[in-house]
Amino acid sequence: MTTINIASKANQATTFPALLVSTNVNEADPKSQITINFGDVETLQSQKDATVELSLDGSESKYDSDQVIGSLLERYPVLQGKNQEQVCFLKIKTTKEWLNRSISFYKADHKSIENPLQELDAHLTLRSYIVGYSLSAADLAVWGAIRGNKIAFAAVKKGAIFNSANAQAQSKKSAKSAEGASYDIALPETDKGVVTRFPPEPSGYLHIGHAKAALLNDYFAHEKYEGTLLCRFDDTNPSKEKEEFEDAIVEDLALMGIRPDRTSHTSDYFEELYQYCITMIKEDKAYCDDTEKEKMQHERWHGIMSERRDASVEDNLSRFEKMKKGTSEGVRWCVRAKISVDDPNKALRDPVIYRCNPEKHHRTGDKWKIYPTYDFCCPIVDAMEGVTHALRTIEYRDRNPQYEWMLKALNLRKVHIWDFARMNFIRTVLSKRKLTKLVDKEVVWGWNDPRFPTIRGIRRRGMTIDALREFILKQGPSRNIVNLDWTLFWATNKKYIDSVAPRHTAISKVNTVTATVKGARVAPYTEDKPKHGKNSEIGTKKVAYSTEILIEQVDAQSFETDEEITLMNWGNAIVRKITHSLNPLHHKNITGLELELHLQGNFKTTKQKITWLSTKGQELIPVELVDFDYLITKDILEEGDELEDFLNPKTEFRSDAFADGNVADLAENDIIQFERKGYFRVDRPFRHGEPTVLFSIPTGKGGK
């Protein structure tokens, strides 16, 4: 028999977790009843300061919620969540870790719970449950502690997870990011509330153009008007869409600080959209057409009426039903809106609004064989979901009358449209079709290739999210189409990384020169030096000193005998001897140097200030430095240009170097500066036998 004793007058944050977990067991598994007893006391008599006690069939009692729940977790598998066959050791271990962390929500004061709440908020950004994909003991324990803590519960209820200082900082940051752009674009009827939407198609990864659309919608909804932001996945093409892309989009939005108030899918409305199409056919506002694709394009271009345009309502309904069933006859047909045959705006020339596609949908399976086009479903679902302002890139301008026609034809409420210019960059393709082609043909490593304009690609290159937000928001909602240079983009990033990037040293392995240093201590030694000369908060690093150091060939070739130079992080030295290669073909190459320390010298008077590495007193870390060039050779691809004709044959440049011993401690995604070489992001940390791989981060000077 299992019994739980609870002190009802105790701090409820310490008792609610065990109470919720035991109640959940009783509801989920009636055969395993846990008896729950309440005592009208602040602490239990069985043990000092105990508020919860668990008795298991004569076993030694367990006290406190975390230990009680841990024991229940081992005894009742139902607490590990659904899909028991998939429960693994790691999941159980993670659950127990969160049971321990739930204790941090016990104290009823703001300071104690602020960081735990922030950590929980960050953890749940991309998750519905703390561990796995169903309710588990971890969710019950954490929620029980928060619900029992009046201060923590109030913070969650009000959405005030971050303290006022953080809120003010975020407000100032947003305002700063938007400086230089005008957001006073006079959106109509904002006094009635603002609801915007970001409708990505889950057929690829978000690129920087999508980021602008997402951030502008977020800015107007959450900062300019304190309204509502919707994220709606336009999943109407099963041939191209994958759950992998959808998950990546959710994660990328979260990384950019975009948190939609609601997330939905166009597939949620397939039944309603089907009924709307039926209505249009019955009202003679749409018809089915089996005209060949090339012929239909010709007829639309030249304003020629389709032979099927005047078919009867009955025939159209019959054909639409065959489309719905995905029959061999049905796949030949599509549905077109009956708007105009020869309108000067070709977007209004009877556009296709439904297609037949028998492929399985990644969410709805094989339930549907017909799928609405974006131009049909977008205005309808916008109206259904309460969107007030549809912010669209300017290439949709010719299709805006089509959007408005759909709403009027179906007697749906008006949605205001605002066009803004898409973000174009020189020597960059943003077409999803062309990006997919580069991935499929293995021109790049994948969607997160650092040469790609995807959010994942530019982040892998070393762009920070703060810099990305600032750069995009500074462009504003302007309708002026411009082709931006990457130099401005990366210059913005440099402002964010320069003050926080630790400084390290790397020496190229190509013809490295070994120098003997006279006047140095005979025994190697190390000293603690700041990682950043102007930011002590970054910490310190170990700098090794000895009588033998490595210097780069290019530096050695610039020295003159008896010249005084500065060894960075050490002091001045005088070049006493320079040894050249005996090979007449490489006589300029330096093979050895003798330096004499002159630490009392003034570094301000020296011309050469060089980096170096001691060969003793530390383990030199092998590193691979990778730089990249543009993927295409032409600034702007014009209509008729074939992508393959302008692909850059060489876009990846690798070089080997030695780095200081501190580099061994770097983790993936760390951003550092190798002094006199530039900024780098760690793509692969050091592992014995394999070098650290670092990607060069542009600074705005080269802009590649």
Side-chain angles (χ1 to χ4, degrees), residues 9 52 129 135 205 212 229 261-262 312 335 338 351 371-372 409 523 576 598 605 646 688 703:
K9 289 186 177 180
V52 180
Y129 301 97
L135 191 70
Y205 288 74
K212 178 178 181 179
L229 172 66
D261 298 287
R262 296 202 307 273
S312 68
V335 181
K338 190 181 286 189
Y371 296 95
R576 292 306 187 191
H598 185 234
T605 62
F646 297 95
H688 288 285

Side-chain angles (χ1 to χ4, degrees), residues 432-468:
K432 193 179 294 184
R433 178 180 59 83
K434 292 178 180 177
L435 293 175
T436 301
K437 182 184 292 186
L438 294 176
V439 173
D440 292 344
K441 291 192 174 183
E442 298 184 349
V443 175
V444 293
W445 308 332
W447 288 93
N448 67 340
D449 190 290
R451 293 160 291 189
F452 246 27
T454 55
I455 302 301
R456 298 194 166 208
I458 59 179
R459 286 188 66 246
R460 192 176 180 192
R461 186 72 191 271
M463 169 60 67
T464 62
I465 293 300
D466 290 340
L468 176 65

Side-chain angles (χ1 to χ4, degrees), residues 111 137 206 216 225 363 402 434 442 487 490 556 611 690:
K111 189 173 182 180
L206 293 185
L216 286 181
Y225 295 110
R363 291 189 76 240
Q402 184 188 106
K434 292 178 180 177
E442 298 184 349
T487 56
W490 291 111
T611 50
E690 297 182 14

Side-chain angles (χ1 to χ4, degrees), residues 126-152:
L126 304 176
R127 300 172 175 87
S128 297
Y129 301 97
I130 290 177
V131 180
Y133 300 96
S134 60
L135 191 70
S136 70
D139 301 281
L140 296 168
V142 172
W143 172 242
I146 293 174
R147 186 62 183 87
N149 185 330
K150 293 181 180 179
I151 292 178

